[in-house]
Amino acid sequence: MAQGMEIRNLSAWYGSQQVLKEINLPVSPNQVTAIIGPSGCGKSTFVRTLNRLHEIIPGARVSGQVFLGEVDLYAPGVDPVSIRRRIGMVFQKPNPFPTMSIFENAAAGLRLNGVDKRRLAEQVEKSLKLAALWDEVSNRLGQSGAALSGGQQQRLCLARALAVSPEILLMDEPASALDPAATLKIEDLIRELKKEYTIIVVTHNMQQAARVADQTAFFLNGELVEYGPSSEIFTRPKDRRTEDYITGRFG
Amino acid sequence: MLHSYPFRKLLNRAVTVLMLLAVVLALIPLFSILWHTFERGWPAISPTFFTHLPKPVGETGGGIANALAGTGLLILLASSIGVPFGLLVGIYLAEFNPGGLGTVVRFLNDVLTGIPSIVTGMFVYSLLVLTMGGFSALAGGVALGLIMIPTVTRSTEEMLKMVPTSLREASLALGATKTQTILRVVLPAAIPGILTGIMLAVARVAGETAPLLFTAFGNRFWSLRLDQPIAALPLQIFTYAISPYRDWQTQAWGAALVLVTLVLVLNIVARLVFHRDGR
Ligand SMILES: Nc1ncnc2c1ncn2[C@@H]1O[C@H](COP(=O)(O)OP(=O)(O)OP(=O)(O)O)[C@@H](O)[C@H]1O
Ligand SMILES: [Mg+2]
């Protein structure tokens, strides 16, 4: 059983511009939670606060609480580095390390923990299989990670995140740079992965959210407008603004 | 006002021709220097020119072995100062977001770049030569090293800034510390550019003469001692070129040819390193 998350009164700023306003959201373990909303509403910022990546931007600031199990990530004395090892992240744009081979990309997180050689190879193979990339790359693990196609690169980034066995997986529009076939592959993966992980996925694509997410949260202008089971959000939204958005009247 | 198509075509031609002409004009001095150096220096070149020491005044023959070794040692000394300092300051500026302090450091670095090298030489003269009681290879190396620092700093900072933020974020999101991120992800991605910057800085100080006049001083004999005056190619060229002896003047051209070739090769290798794997 994976850990869940609990976000309480979370606000975030870039300098003096507030982009997240008092977000309260429970994230159930072993479920897929989709974050939807128009461009610029704060989706990326939101997932970046969940692994404390937001704060690396100069002038960026956060208030509120994010619980991973019993631990508040923003409690004083919590080391962001140790938090990030427990929370995997896949970015909107594939970003494999260009100077590393496919193998080294997948092994990058493990290297940080000083895993011994044999277990390293096992773990790399396991995570590449989990990311459905193994069959395509098993005979050229020494090649540069940058030499793969966009969809393969994204799955390599997924394998890189999975290799360290995180408790939570954050995905920021993981399929936005991919063709329909690769997108479906990623969606299948997400459904498969929730058996072991708690997944939060940002998406612009409402069909995608409806297909893969158990829960959906709708953001607008930095506020969480509505949250609930995807089946309800997409069929019987309670808030007028949610309805306008999912029916395509704006955004 | 929109001119007719034939007119614009003609104008386009005319400007293209003018630009080509300007390029040719700019290249004439470069190639005439190279050709002249080659023409005058080639007669001096022979195996013994590289392996022999200078002959006493009045005797013909002899070589520049001591100056070659001296320049090699001076470059080594200069690099061991200029490279680590330049790298560290460049990394600091690019990766640690020093804000106001960064602006000051960058400004000082630019000032340092613009300081005439003879002034740096004078500074090292009073700092090391006067206190150590004499000219030395060490003082020469320090002077050249100081000249290298701002160039290496600048190129390191610029190359690191070209590394996309997304790579740093990918590394941090994996749970890497800032140091691990810099060492494993950012530096490897920037290393061809940084090496290029270092080689160009080396090429630049290899030909510096003024700061060596009163630090390394020059030496007619073989010496690799750090606390003794040491020979260097540019100093040798200077001494020989202004001498009244025909043979020495030819040797000055020969040494100049060697120096120019060295600088040229460094520049070419630097470009090759930078453009390797299609970057
Ligand atoms: N690095 C930054 N510095 C300053 N402001 C930023 C920065 N990144 C984002 N913002 C601002 O914060 C707000 C939210 O941006 P965010 O990237 O979270 O939106 P998003 O919902 O992910 O949009 P998209 O769907 O287009 O990716 C926007 O108004 C944006 O201009
Ligand atoms: Mg976004």
Side-chain angles (χ1 to χ4, degrees), chain A residues 48 56 58 81 84-85 87 91 95-100 111-112 160, chain B residues 97 166-167 169-177 180 184-185 188-189:
Chain A
R48 291 165 59 96
I56 68 166
V81 169
R84 293 182 196 131
R85 294 196 181 184
I87 304 180
F91 294 78
N95 54 1
F97 300 127
T99 53
M100 295 185 196
R111 291 249 189 244
L112 299 173
R160 181 176 68 187
Chain B
N97 181 44
S166 63
L167 292 184
E169 293 189 338
S171 172
L172 291 173
L174 275 181
T177 61
Q180 287 170 325
R184 297 177 186 211
V185 174

Side-chain angles (χ1 to χ4, degrees), chain A residues 69-163:
Chain A
E70 299 297 305
V71 189
D72 174 13
L73 308 188
Y74 286 99
V78 172
D79 175 15
V81 169
S82 66
I83 290 303
R84 293 182 196 131
R85 294 196 181 184
R86 299 173 59 187
I87 304 180
M89 184 160 187
V90 178
F91 294 78
Q92 187 163 351
K93 235 178 98 210
N95 54 1
F97 300 127
T99 53
M100 295 185 196
S101 66
I102 293 171
F103 182 92
E104 284 304 325
N105 262 285
L110 297 164
R111 291 249 189 244
L112 299 173
N113 298 319
V115 175
D116 73 79
K117 250 192 172 146
R118 221 198 45 231
R119 232 180 62 75
L120 191 77
E122 278 171 17
Q123 197 66 21
V124 164
E125 179 172 343
K126 195 177 139 210
S127 54
L128 284 171
K129 281 181 172 158
L130 209 54
L133 187 61
W134 177 255
D135 294 338
E136 289 155 69
V137 300
S138 59
N139 56 352
R140 46 172 177 150
L141 292 173
Q143 275 183 16
S144 164
L148 296 172
S149 78
Q152 291 172 328
Q153 287 186 15
Q154 193 61 303
R155 279 176 284 148
L156 179 59
C157 294
L158 180 60
R160 181 176 68 187
L162 293 174

Side-chain angles (χ1 to χ4, degrees), chain B residues 197-253:
Chain B
I198 291 173
M199 277 191 264
L200 293 179
V202 166
R204 178 173 164 215
V205 298
E208 281 289 353
T209 319
L212 294 182
L213 287 172
F214 37 141
T215 52
F217 192 70
N219 192 334
R220 299 200 36 76
F221 305 99
W222 180 266
S223 166
L224 288 177
R225 283 185 56 170
L226 295 186
D227 60 347
Q228 293 298 317
I230 193 165
L233 275 176
L235 290 176
Q236 202 97 339
I237 294 169
F238 177 66
T239 322
Y240 281 6
I242 60 174
S243 77
Y245 312 110
R246 248 249 113 79
D247 184 51
W248 276 16
Q249 287 165 12
T250 311
Q251 288 200 26
W253 282 109

